[in-house]
Amino acid sequence: MARTRRISSAVAVAAAALGVAALSAGPATAAPRADTTQFKGVNWADPRDNFADDELQLSGLLTTDSYRETYSKAKRIISAFRANLGANTVRLPINPYTVNGSYWDSYQGVIDAASDQGFKVIVSYWEGTGERKDGLIDDTTTYWPMWNRVVDTYKDNPRVYFEPMNEPHGYTETEWADLAAKWLDTYSSVPRDRVFVSGAGYNDHVTSVCADPRLAGTYLSLHHYGFWKSYATYDQWVADLKERIGDCAGRTVADEFGSPMTTGLDYNVPTPDDNFVNYLQAVTDTFRELKMGSVYWPGLRSDDTYSLQTLTGTEDRPWLATTNQSGADRLAWAWGRGEAVGD
């Protein structure tokens, strides 16, 4: 069974072999490729889980930082994602508070630092917290100006990708498809192969958006977590994931998935009675099998047991350390790296 494979920890630092040229986006008019394995990434998050009614402050950054300070810190953290994990993609949150005011001048330093190092950058809208955390756009009068500004800034940068909304669970499948189609019509100058349309619900299945011809040519984003279910076997997790993907693996990127990383679990060893080990082995094997890109949640989020990296260094010169090498090994395996070294 594929879940019995252990991955050599050496693959976690395979990033040294990655050249910037290999990370460059394809022609602007191209349709998504037959697989999405070019996206090998992590999420970089606010300690509050990106749900905020104010400016987003990514772990390791300060909202008082200037553009130059933000860029300098972000450059080091992006470099650490590459050095420690071999990543070439980062997913970042936005909201109107972050974009529509003066803080946008500084926050661009994160996107620019990643892009300048050859990273693909997925920019995703997140709703607020409390009563606003309902799976709906908080305020359309600030949502569209936010996207106007983001698209105007980055529409000509082929490394920047746009995700209209994270986990649109407040909408029906039809309502969400209508909204995604409206986004595409509004920003028709953006090549469709630079747009990630979230799966319906909590991004928990892509079959409905995949079937909508109005959304043709876009990538689809899927979320999948072990805490959603408790299955007795690895095979049940594989079946669960494949049902959510349907026949759409060629367009789909799992831009959120994750498991506890700071609790001592060894994801390289089959542990049939542990739901999280079964889950992570199953999904990483399946992403590799289906040639799907994947973006781990979170690569960095302070005080999150799922975080695969933790901050080290100083406040002005941050660096990262890996919290669970077996988790990093499984991520590398999902990305098509490593070799089976035992059963």
Side-chain angles (χ1 to χ4, degrees):
M1 215 182 265
R3 70 188 176 108
T4 62
R5 292 170 175 158
R6 274 190 83 219
I7 315 306
S8 168
S9 62
V11 302
V13 294
L18 295 175
V20 168
L23 302 174
S24 299
T29 57
R33 305 178 191 179
D35 66 64
T36 59
T37 54
Q38 69 268 31
F39 298 99
K40 302 172 174 65
V42 294
N43 283 266
W44 184 2
D46 185 304
R48 297 169 293 180
D49 197 19
N50 298 342
F51 296 103
D53 293 321
D54 56 7
E55 298 165 340
L56 290 157
Q57 182 173 308
L58 302 184
S59 299
L61 304 182
L62 299 173
T63 55
T64 54
D65 288 339
S66 66
Y67 174 90
R68 183 176 180 179
E69 290 167 328
T70 300
Y71 187 100
S72 176
K73 293 178 181 180
K75 182 178 179 181
R76 292 182 60 82
I77 288 173
I78 293 295
S79 295
F81 285 146
R82 174 178 283 154
N84 294 352
L85 302 173
N88 71 4
T89 301
V90 63
R91 181 171 178 254
L92 302 172
I94 57 169
N95 64 19
Y97 307 97
T98 301
V99 175
N100 292 348
S102 61
Y103 182 52
W104 178 236
D105 294 338
S106 295
Y107 197 75
Q108 289 177 71
V110 184
I111 301 172
D112 295 347
S115 173
D116 289 350
Q117 292 184 83
F119 263 55
K120 303 174 192 300
V121 182
I122 303 169
V123 181
S124 179
Y125 163 68
W126 287 62
E127 61 187 323
T129 190
E131 292 181 355
R132 290 175 174 261
K133 192 177 175 183
D134 55 6
L136 302 171
I137 291 172
D138 290 341
D139 182 355
T140 57
T141 65
T142 58
Y143 173 86
W144 293 108
M146 173 194 70
W147 276 118
N148 290 345
R149 198 171 195 186
V150 174
V151 170
D152 184 63
T153 304
Y154 290 107
K155 65 183 178 182
D156 296 323
N157 185 333
R159 293 194 180 108
V160 178
Y161 297 77
F162 309 100
E163 188 175 49
M165 185 174 183
N166 172 76
E167 298 185 349
H169 60 90
Y171 299 103
T172 67
E173 289 183 348
T174 299
E175 289 169 341
W176 169 238
D178 289 345
L179 183 55
K182 179 180 179 180
W183 196 101
L184 292 170
D185 288 342
T186 302
Y187 303 108
S188 58
S189 62
V190 175
R192 289 193 170 213
D193 66 343
R194 285 179 49 208
V195 179
F196 279 68
V197 174
S198 295
Y202 287 87
N203 281 57
D204 55 51
H205 64 285
V206 298
T207 48
S208 59
V209 289
C210 185
D212 194 315
R214 297 174 299 169
L215 310 179
T218 63
Y219 289 108
L220 309 175
S221 69
L222 178 75
H223 294 179
H224 196 248
Y225 283 106
F227 67 83
W228 286 354
K229 298 281 183 70
S230 182
Y231 286 130
T233 69
Y234 162 99
D235 291 331
Q236 287 175 296
W237 274 117
V238 172
D240 182 286
L241 176 57
K242 287 186 174 180
E243 182 178 3
R244 297 172 187 275
I245 298 167
D247 297 326
C248 305
R251 292 173 59 190
T252 301
V253 176
D255 69 7
E256 279 192 32
F257 72 103
S259 227
M261 290 294 160
T262 62
T263 59
L265 291 174
D266 187 341
Y267 293 103
N268 283 331
V269 176
T271 311
D273 60 350
D274 191 288
N275 187 57
F276 285 112
V277 173
N278 279 333
Y279 154 81
L280 194 63
Q281 291 179 346
V283 298
T284 51
D285 284 345
T286 302
F287 297 154
R288 184 179 177 113
E289 173 196 344
L290 298 180
K291 295 181 172 59
M292 280 176 52
S294 56
V295 183
Y296 180 83
W297 176 275
L300 178 63
R301 179 186 170 210
S302 299
D303 301 319
D304 185 340
T305 60
Y306 280 49
S307 189
L308 193 49
Q309 300 285 282
T310 189
L311 285 163
T312 62
T314 62
E315 183 178 280
D316 62 334
R317 290 181 59 80
W319 195 252
L320 303 177
T322 299
T323 58
N324 186 317
Q325 188 56 55
S326 69
D329 292 344
R330 292 308 307 181
L331 188 55
W333 182 254
W335 293 343
R337 301 177 185 149
E339 298 179 357
V341 296
D343 292 325

